[in-house]
Amino acid sequence: MCGDCQWLAKIADLVHHNITNSMFKKQTKRFIGAEGNRSDSDDGSYVAFVERAVANESVFRRFRCDKVYRETLEHASFEDGLACLDIIKRKAPQFLASIGEVRDNDLVGAPLVYDYAGCGVLGPTTLRYLKVAADLFWLFGETPGRRIVEIGVGYGGQLLVSDRLFAIDVYELIDLPPVLELAARYLESHVLNCGYQTSTLNRKTGEDTYDLAISNYAFSELPGHIQRKYIEKILISSKRGYLTMNSGLGKTDRSRGKLSLDDLRNALPPFEVLPEEPLTGPENYIIVWGHQSA
Ligand SMILES: C[S@@+](CC[C@H](N)C(=O)[O-])C[C@H]1O[C@@H](n2cnc3c(N)ncnc32)[C@H](O)[C@@H]1O
């Protein structure tokens, strides 16, 4: 294609994206859980957008820079990315040698990316996933788990980044049905080393066991009775755990209706509380169990 044609094709793509977006702007809200059974993100707009991203190729191609989507995910700033990079350098500097493979996570969905001195162009959200991987290495060693389960997975970015760094047999994704469709659409755009499975809380029987359970800003956003069900069916069956929490301390509105840290102490395997680094919310902390210093 000549330079002028490429330029025209880009404008046509942008116009098509904007027309499609405005056609759907007045779309009614879509919830998965009935009232009382919804997480903070099951707010009507998020699921409606996710369904559009699954159904419409041009929305999918740019889903990570959409305003509605960025309210729930992909809102890390350049500075957040920089702070994550500092932690990665401290906890798992060897991961920087794999930055080329990790960059795969910025190929699909048109995320906002920045030039980070010394490691090139990357999305700050990808750096956040890499920071979680650095924490996993630091806490659990070079193989954090052959059998991993993640609760509340977004589009599957944590899986893709972990797949590039760790030996994993099976990575199970648990989320709302349309979100799992988006994650599968996203992951199928790539080639994975591990195998993945998708499920919902209601499809789990509580019989499966895991080496590692992960949940970042997701388990902590669920109402208390659903958190208890996740503990009963999944978390107590995992040898190791890593949960980035944004509720439970009673400091902000986010804690309303969620399990408190004391409730969690009584229900989860014995755990340690670590500070979230970088701190991204007033009520944030990390719950870890099964780690090397435990
Ligand atoms: C704030 S996002 C965090 C996503 C991802 N962990 C990350 O760090 O980018 C919250 C996630 O929880 C998911 N979620 C909402 N309700 C859920 C439920 N009932 N069970 C599991 N996941 C749920 C959302 O779809 C979303 O993927």
Side-chain angles (χ1 to χ4, degrees):
M1 223 192 279
C2 70
D4 279 355
C5 301
Q6 275 179 352
W7 188 74
L8 281 173
K10 268 195 181 154
I11 294 193
D13 188 33
L14 201 65
V15 169
H16 181 243
H17 179 73
N18 284 335
I19 290 175
T20 324
N21 261 353
S22 50
M23 272 165 56
F24 282 100
K25 255 193 184 130
K26 293 201 179 67
Q27 178 160 340
T28 49
K29 296 196 167 219
R30 271 279 287 141
F31 300 96
I32 299 300
E35 222 175 320
N37 290 338
R38 293 175 191 153
S39 74
D40 295 350
S41 51
D42 192 4
D43 62 355
S45 312
Y46 167 67
V47 169
F49 176 76
V50 166
E51 287 185 340
R52 278 171 47 207
V54 171
N56 185 306
E57 180 61 27
S58 79
V59 178
F60 175 73
R61 257 190 280 147
R62 305 183 58 78
F63 77 95
R64 287 167 66 188
C65 61
D66 183 274
K67 192 170 161 287
V68 172
Y69 195 72
R70 293 190 68 220
E71 275 162 27
T72 302
L73 283 110
E74 288 283 329
H75 42 239
S77 64
F78 169 76
E79 290 74 20
D80 294 334
L82 213 50
C84 287
L85 197 49
D86 276 349
I87 294 164
I88 296 157
K89 285 179 183 161
R90 181 159 43 87
K91 292 187 170 167
Q94 74 280 14
F95 284 176
L96 295 178
S98 306
I99 210 82
E101 286 105 300
V102 168
R103 215 187 303 281
D104 285 354
N105 194 49
D106 291 329
L107 293 175
V108 175
L112 292 181
V113 291
Y114 302 95
D115 197 353
Y116 287 94
C119 71
V121 176
L122 273 164
T125 305
T126 297
L127 281 169
R128 182 165 66 73
Y129 293 137
L130 187 57
K131 193 283 304 188
V132 169
D135 278 354
L136 297 178
F137 170 77
W138 188 67
L139 289 160
F140 303 115
E142 67 180 7
T143 307
R146 288 273 181 183
R147 214 182 146 74
I148 298 180
V149 61
E150 184 178 354
I151 298 168
V153 303
Y155 56 85
Q158 189 65 58
L159 183 162
L160 187 65
V161 169
S162 305
D163 178 73
R164 299 308 193 238
L165 301 166
F166 300 125
I168 302 168
D169 293 334
V170 184
Y171 195 117
E172 187 166 341
L173 305 167
I174 306 201
D175 209 305
L176 305 171
V179 178
L180 293 171
E181 280 186 62
L182 177 64
R185 173 83 181 79
Y186 179 78
L187 294 171
E188 293 302 334
S189 312
H190 299 274
V191 178
L192 298 176
N193 301 306
C194 70
Y196 78 93
Q197 294 171 352
T198 60
S199 195
T200 66
L201 174 64
N202 287 343
R203 291 186 199 134
K204 296 306 296 177
T205 60
E207 284 160 5
D208 290 333
T209 56
Y210 304 96
D211 298 322
L212 171 67
I214 302 175
S215 186
N216 298 317
Y217 320 102
F219 166 75
S220 56
E221 297 191 353
L222 293 161
H225 67 288
I226 302 185
Q227 287 180 304
R228 284 198 188 280
K229 202 47 86 183
Y230 269 109
I231 293 173
E232 186 187 312
K233 285 187 166 182
I234 293 162
L235 296 177
I236 52 161
S237 312
S238 182
K239 277 198 298 204
R240 295 166 167 177
Y242 178 97
L243 313 176
T244 308
M245 304 291 294
N246 53 8
S247 70
L249 303 183
K251 287 188 187 169
T252 65
D253 274 359
R254 246 204 214 286
S255 275
R256 194 171 307 131
K258 319 279 166 52
L259 298 184
S260 68
L261 193 53
D262 280 346
D263 295 331
L264 292 165
R265 286 230 180 265
N266 290 328
L268 282 170
F271 63 78
E272 191 177 348
V273 172
L274 304 177
E276 186 199 28
E277 282 187 296
L279 188 64
T280 60
E283 160 128 61
N284 290 19
Y285 57 100
I286 298 178
I287 283 180
V288 183
W289 70 88
H291 50 305
Q292 285 167 347
S293 64

